Structures are given as structure tokens and as C-alpha cells.
Amino acid sequence: MKNKPILYSFRRCPYAMRARIFIRMCEIEVELREVLLKDIPEEMINISPKATVPVLQLNDGTVLDESLDIMNWAIDKNDKCNLKKSKIENIEISDEIINIFDGEFKYHLDRYKYNSRYDKNEGVQTKEKHRDEALKILQIIESKLNNKDWIFGNSPSFLDIAILPFVRQFRIADIAWFDESMPYKNVHAWLMRFMDWNTFNKIMIKNKPWKKNDKPTYFGLN
């Protein structure tokens, strides 16, 4: 029986996506446990009471339940694609932009995509207003993609992978608008490149929700 780290994940969660991409690129095999957010398994809550994905339980019992921590763990363990190099060489701009996307961009993304779920008495504005605020942040990326496939060159960097899952969700909120009216053509091409990327498609393969006593599903090498 394989003794592998256990990754609790949800296929469509952007935080879980970026963790899976790093595990896949670093060729680390883990036991993948797909969860339903409305039915989080007790085994996951017991090791991470905040009950959000991703959660990685290592063989020594250590639990990583922040996606950036899992990403850094992966590149420390087996950095096959020089992702750490792309991070270190661009550390200040990478940290700054990741913080913006994990904070301000995610705030507006949620209120754009799920506007009706939020209380208008708590400062929530129209979905179009939140869309436009998120769009201002994408302008930062648009200028960095001039004549380049990815932010820092010809291959995906730590920064690209950290933020692209959120841009994907931004598109999903209104695909027709994003594809036909969204003004930043470099950003559009960048996201399409990401969604066509073989690595992305491999980490998005569907798995049935995990149940106790299921035969293990392994991820990271296949």
C-alpha cells in the first residue's frame, strides 16, 4: 500500500487548482481526495477545522492548508520546472501582485460572480461595478504581457500560475462579455493559453467525491 501525502481538493476551486498545478509540475505523487464543499469529510475537518481546500497532510502528520504553502512545499521538494527561480528573481513584484489578487481582486470577483448572494447593506455594489474594479487590476497584467506569452517570458512562472485560476473565474462570470468586450487582449490571449495548456487540462480531470474506504486515487505523476 502506497504511503503518500494526502491532498484534499475541489476541482473548480482556484486555490486548489494552483496547488494541484504545482504538485503536477513538480512530479510529486499524492493521494487525491476530491471533496464537495457542501459536504466536507470529517477526516479533513479533523486536521483543518477551517474546512477550506486545499489541504495537504504530509506523511509526518504536518498539515498545510494554505495553497501558497503547498506551492512552496512542492518547489522545495522537487522543482522540475524552475518555478522557484521565477519566484526568487521576481520576488517583489510577484508577492505584490499575488497579494492584490488574493485580496482585492478576489473580493471584487466574488461580488461580480455571485452578486445576489451578498447583502447590499454591507457596501456591495452592482455586479458591473465589481467587474470594473477587478478589471482595473487586470490592467496591471495587460502591460506586462506585451510581446510575451507569460508574465516573465516564454514559460509559466510562479506568478502566472498563482493568479490565472482567478482570472479563469472572472471569465466564467460572463464568458460572452470576457471574450467579446473585455478590453485587454493580452490578458485574454494569456488566459486562453493557460486553458489550452496540457498541464492545466491534466489537473482538471474529474474525479468522484472521496468517501471513506474508497480505493485511493493517485495524482501528480499520471
Side-chain angles (χ1 to χ4, degrees), residues 5-217:
I6 297 170
L7 177 69
Y8 293 91
S9 181
F10 175 60
R11 179 175 170 271
R12 298 196 306 273
C13 170
Y15 297 102
M17 281 182 201
R18 65 188 187 183
R20 293 199 309 275
I21 291 172
F22 269 69
I23 289 170
R24 180 71 180 76
M25 292 184 73
C26 292
E27 298 182 1
I28 302 168
E29 190 172 46
V30 300
E31 179 185 337
L32 178 67
R33 295 182 176 179
E34 179 76 9
V35 304
L36 296 175
L37 300 185
K38 62 184 179 182
D39 188 23
I40 300 291
E42 185 178 334
E43 289 82 358
M44 178 181 139
I45 295 173
N46 287 341
I47 62 171
S48 180
K50 69 188 183 78
T52 60
V53 292
V55 175
L56 181 69
Q57 184 177 28
L58 304 181
N59 292 339
D60 65 2
T62 300
V63 174
L64 304 177
D65 59 6
E66 296 290 344
S67 56
L68 291 174
D69 290 341
I70 296 172
M71 293 155 66
N72 284 317
W73 168 82
I75 58 177
D76 283 342
K77 189 171 179 66
N78 192 32
D79 190 13
K80 299 284 289 188
C81 299
N82 289 322
L83 292 166
K84 184 184 289 189
K85 183 173 184 285
S86 78
K87 177 187 176 183
I88 292 173
E89 290 183 348
N90 305 282
I91 188 69
E92 289 186 9
I93 189 66
S94 293
D95 284 350
E96 178 184 355
I97 291 177
I98 289 170
N99 286 336
I100 290 171
F101 270 80
D102 282 13
E104 186 180 353
F105 187 86
K106 185 64 164 55
Y107 173 88
H108 290 297
L109 169 62
D110 288 344
R111 286 151 186 80
Y112 169 40
K113 189 176 182 187
Y114 308 111
N115 192 260
S116 63
R117 299 183 187 178
Y118 289 89
D119 188 344
K120 299 298 189 289
N121 294 322
E122 296 181 356
V124 175
Q125 304 179 62
T126 65
K127 64 177 295 184
E128 290 79 16
K129 176 63 176 174
H130 288 291
R131 179 196 70 193
D132 292 346
E133 289 300 315
L135 194 60
K136 291 177 184 177
I137 296 170
L138 288 180
Q139 186 178 20
I140 299 169
I141 305 302
E142 177 72 7
S143 61
K144 296 186 178 300
L145 289 168
N146 286 332
N147 303 313
K148 290 181 290 187
D149 285 348
W150 307 93
I151 293 175
F152 299 119
N154 296 319
S155 59
S157 69
F158 189 101
L159 175 58
D160 289 285
I161 299 166
I163 65 177
L164 269 161
F166 300 99
V167 183
R168 176 182 177 272
Q169 286 217 329
F170 184 73
R171 176 180 181 262
I172 289 171
D174 188 338
I175 293 174
W177 176 85
F178 189 93
D179 288 349
E180 299 166 15
S181 302
M182 199 275 294
Y184 302 134
K185 302 309 177 188
N186 290 337
V187 166
H188 186 277
W190 174 62
L191 178 61
M192 295 301 105
R193 192 173 298 117
F194 174 68
M195 291 170 60
D196 287 339
W197 185 32
N198 187 47
T199 297
F200 175 73
N201 288 306
K202 285 184 176 180
I203 69 103
M204 292 299 287
I205 292 172
K206 291 183 179 180
N207 291 284
K208 67 181 181 68
W210 176 81
K211 297 292 183 183
K212 190 173 183 178
N213 299 322
D214 277 354
K215 181 180 178 181
T217 297

